[in-house]
Amino acid sequence: MRGRWSLAIIGVVLILAGGLLAHFTQTAGGIRIEDIRFKGAKGNTMSALLYIPPNATAQTPAPGILAVHGYINSRETQDGFAIEFARRGYVVLALDQTGHGYSDPPAFAGGFGGPDGLAHLRGLDMVDKNNIGLEGHSMGGWTVLAAATAMPNDYKSMVLEGSSTGKPFAADGTSSWPKNVALVFAQYEEFPTLMWGVDRARDVTQSPKLWAMFGTQGAVEPGRVYGDIAQGTARVLYTPAITHPDEHISHEAIGYSLDWFARTLQGGTPRPADDQIWFRKEIGTLIALLGFVALLIGAFDGLLEAAMFSRLRLPEIADGTMPDHVAAKGKRWTVALLLSAFIPALTYYPAFALAGTFVKPSAFLPQGITNQIMVWAIINALITLALMPFAPKRTGRAGIVAQSVVIAIATVVIGYAALWLADLAFKIDFRFWIVALKLMNGKQFLIFLIYLVPLIAFFVVALHVLHRNFSTMGAGRGALYLTNILALTLGFIALLVLQYGTLWISGKLFNPLPDPGFVPLSTIVAIQFVPLLAICAVIATFTWRRTGSSLPGALICGLFVTWYVVAGTATQAAF
């Protein structure tokens, strides 16, 4: 019994080790972090993390910064910025936009929550109301611009990371509005047309829209400060050689924001811009995320020993013999691998476009990105069902559905409890970069129930055929795990290599659709498919080797992925 729980114990150790590293990093130097809720102007609940440096008190107010994430992210996404701002003596309000994280939906409402966030920050007695900065990434930039529009005299400077003034969601920038702006716009931005009306991000210096904000009639020179800080008209452009999602996990981008606020706000603690420790937290929460995966499969392994799950265990495993399974071989194996890997990738953009056009967010399906993933999953489940007769035949296991459901729910509940305890003890979620597993609030749990059935159906079908094609008990363990991981991820790896290789060479993403609007955001979302599907392949392979059935692993993956997606994206419709 102890041996069966050993992997779960390793998972717990990794979660503790990663959680401690993350905790000590984000609280270095006596910083306190509070998870707060406050009411917006219309009675809506807003959520934020408040970073309080030790120098900030009611008797000695400190400068404040409102830091806001981009679309389909959450307050923790900007934690690199928040940690470094707080280390320099700024009180930081890291906000969940409306309809994101734990702030009430719908998304896009109330200036994305920016005016509410700025009003709350200014209401804190520990904040110097004459020295407030605004920082936002992507749609978070439009959030802080909405705050600047609503309260034009209540901030001193701002940093826009991969964002823009003007249409579609902000007021037009001029040589005097917004106040003291630093724009970080990456050379390999995925959204140059949307943001600044240029085809390639490297040509942003030629944007007439940018010229209007900088008050110039010629190319803007990166790194040069235009205007006057004392008058509130200063502007500067930075163009690091990174992509849009890299901007919130970049020492260079964070360094630019630190330098700009050091120039434009008073009362901070001087530190060199390159003195940054935030990445230790990313490593810590990555270790915790890996520990979570180990805990899931370890908990399943331990639970499998309980008498109530005895019918799930293979008797052949118990007595040392292995069941004989037939899998695809030779050319059939190669064709099966290519179809498994590339059909999901080839259908990705069309499915997302189809859902974006015909499955709009509503009270019954309130999340736009989740709708797109759901439609993609349904299409691929139907394709897999059509191809199922060509997979090698295999005797099914009868009478294990109820036990599979119970053990899958119990396994995921154990993982959820671990995240809840990590949040309680360390104030973290499990994440690295844009891959983040968060707790659900009550509304998100109800939304989770809506999307659970179609996503579980996808995994039940897809993993059943996966194992029929590739899994045998006699296969080498490493080869089997690698095969199943590649079968689920190789197509998306190829898609991303094609897209970012094209972006690096030409300055533009490859567009397979008539409407280019779906491509940049969908491409960034596709990045998450690789680690998520790899985790599912590991879970599916481990559970199949223990039971000889694809069902328990499929149920665990369906529960896990639905939780991951629903908690981590935007809710566009009121729910």
Side-chain angles (χ1 to χ4, degrees):
M1 177 72 84
R2 283 196 297 270
R4 287 296 191 192
W5 286 97
S6 59
L7 192 54
I9 294 170
I10 291 172
V12 170
V13 170
L14 288 173
I15 291 171
L16 287 172
L20 285 169
L21 176 59
H23 171 74
F24 287 126
T25 300
Q26 67 184 7
T27 59
I31 296 166
R32 289 188 294 118
I33 301 176
E34 297 180 0
D35 184 349
I36 65 171
R37 304 289 185 273
F38 60 93
K39 289 297 181 181
K42 295 185 177 180
N44 54 303
T45 297
M46 297 296 297
S47 161
L49 291 174
L50 183 64
Y51 295 70
I52 306 171
N55 58 290
T57 67
Q59 293 72 37
T60 59
I65 295 176
L66 175 66
V68 190
H69 61 86
Y71 185 47
I72 61 171
N73 293 137
S74 62
R75 60 194 189 177
E76 293 87 358
T77 309
Q78 294 299 92
D79 58 9
F81 291 85
I83 290 167
E84 296 305 331
F85 292 155
R87 290 182 67 227
R88 286 156 178 80
Y90 304 111
V91 177
V92 184
L93 188 71
L95 186 72
D96 274 333
Q97 292 181 38
T98 51
H100 292 72
Y102 309 124
S103 289
D104 279 347
F108 303 94
F112 311 96
D116 289 338
L118 179 54
H120 185 80
L121 180 64
R122 288 184 58 81
L124 299 174
D125 60 6
M126 68 189 75
V127 172
D128 177 2
K129 296 172 181 55
N130 295 316
N131 280 282
I132 289 181
L134 308 174
E135 183 272 330
H137 176 255
S138 193
M139 200 163 88
W142 299 329
T143 306
V144 299
L145 286 167
T149 299
M151 307 167 72
N153 299 315
D154 292 339
Y155 73 101
K156 199 169 184 180
S157 64
M158 73 167 57
V159 176
L160 299 177
E161 302 269 348
S163 192
S164 66
T165 56
K167 295 179 180 178
F169 293 113
D172 290 329
T174 69
S175 59
S176 59
W177 187 90
K179 294 180 182 178
N180 294 334
V181 182
L183 171 64
V184 180
F185 203 74
Q187 294 178 30
Y188 300 103
E189 266 280 351
E190 291 90 336
F191 300 97
T193 305
L194 174 69
M195 298 293 185
W196 293 103
V198 293
D199 287 339
R200 294 170 176 81
R202 65 185 67 157
D203 297 328
V204 69
T205 58
Q206 306 294 328
S207 166
K209 188 177 173 181
L210 188 70
W211 295 353
M213 188 175 75
F214 275 68
T216 180
Q217 293 301 312
V220 174
E221 180 183 341
R224 173 187 166 188
V225 177
Y226 293 72
D228 183 80
I229 291 175
Q231 298 297 318
T233 61
R235 277 98 176 83
V236 65
L237 169 68
Y238 300 110
T239 56
I242 55 179
T243 67
H244 184 80
D246 289 337
E247 287 162 348
H248 49 68
I249 193 170
S250 162
H251 284 82
E252 188 177 6
I254 292 173
Y256 290 141
S257 69
L258 297 174
D259 178 71
W260 189 244
F261 285 131
R263 293 192 198 188
T264 57
L265 299 180
Q266 297 176 348
T269 304
R271 281 184 185 271
D274 61 357
D275 176 8
Q276 300 179 30
I277 66 170
W278 60 269
F279 195 68
R280 298 176 198 168
K281 189 201 172 191
E282 289 292 321
I283 296 299
T285 51
L286 172 61
I287 293 170
L289 178 59
L290 296 175
F292 168 83
V293 177
L295 175 62
L296 276 191
I297 57 179
F300 175 86
D301 207 21
L303 290 170
L304 197 60
E305 291 299 301
M308 66 180 297
F309 300 122
S310 60
R311 293 190 65 180
L312 281 175
R313 300 193 300 266
L314 283 178
E316 293 88 349
I317 294 177
D319 64 18
T321 63
M322 294 295 179
D324 184 24
H325 292 117
V326 177
K329 296 179 180 179
K331 291 182 179 180
R332 191 175 181 183
W333 183 94
T334 302
V335 170
L337 181 68
L338 292 176
L339 292 176
S340 298
F342 287 98
I343 287 177
L346 291 171
T347 58
Y348 178 74
Y349 289 120
F352 269 45
L354 183 68
T357 303
F358 296 106
V359 191
K360 302 289 187 181
S362 65
F364 299 102
L365 295 170
Q367 295 187 335
I369 295 294
T370 313
N371 289 347
Q372 292 176 310
I373 294 171
M374 177 187 69
V375 169
W376 170 86
I378 291 171
I379 289 171
N380 279 274
L382 293 174
I383 293 172
T384 306
L385 279 173
L387 295 174
M388 188 180 295
F390 300 99
K393 300 296 186 288
R394 187 166 294 181
T395 302
R397 298 197 61 205
I400 62 169
V401 173
Q403 289 187 329
S404 296
V405 170
V406 172
I407 198 171
I409 292 174
T411 298
V412 175
V413 165
I414 290 171
Y416 196 91
L419 178 55
W420 179 76
L421 290 171
D423 173 74
L424 187 68
F426 306 125
K427 198 51 59 189
I428 63 167
D429 53 14
F430 298 156
R431 71 169 50 232
F432 182 78
W433 191 27
I434 57 175
V435 178
L437 183 64
K438 295 175 58 63
L439 295 172
M440 293 181 284
N441 62 17
K443 291 181 179 179
Q444 289 169 335
F445 179 72
L446 294 177
I447 296 170
F448 162 85
L449 295 177
I450 292 173
Y451 292 105
L452 182 60
V453 171
L455 292 182
I456 279 186
F458 163 74
F459 281 107
V460 168
V461 173
L463 295 181
H464 175 72
V465 175
L466 177 86
H467 291 306
R468 280 174 55 172
N469 279 321
F470 307 117
S471 298
T472 66
M473 290 296 180
R477 182 182 302 178
L480 182 55
Y481 275 98
L482 179 60
T483 298
N484 288 342
I485 289 171
L486 289 177
L488 293 184
T489 65
L490 184 59
F492 283 98
I493 292 171
L495 182 150
L496 292 169
V497 169
L498 171 65
Q499 283 289 24
Y500 284 99
T502 303
L503 179 62
W504 181 69
I505 293 169
S506 69
K508 298 173 64 175
L509 292 170
F510 170 72
N511 179 25
L513 298 173
D515 182 356
F518 288 105
V519 173
L521 180 61
S522 298
T523 301
I524 292 171
V525 171
I527 295 172
Q528 299 177 61
F529 273 57
V530 175
L532 275 183
L533 291 175
I535 290 170
C536 288
V538 170
I539 293 171
T541 305
F542 184 92
T543 55
W544 185 86
R545 284 178 56 84
R546 291 292 188 266
T547 66
S549 170
S550 62
L551 185 59
L555 295 172
I556 292 171
C557 290
L559 289 163
F560 161 64
V561 171
T562 308
W563 159 23
Y564 173 95
V565 173
V566 167
T569 191
T571 303
Q572 286 90 349
F575 186 82

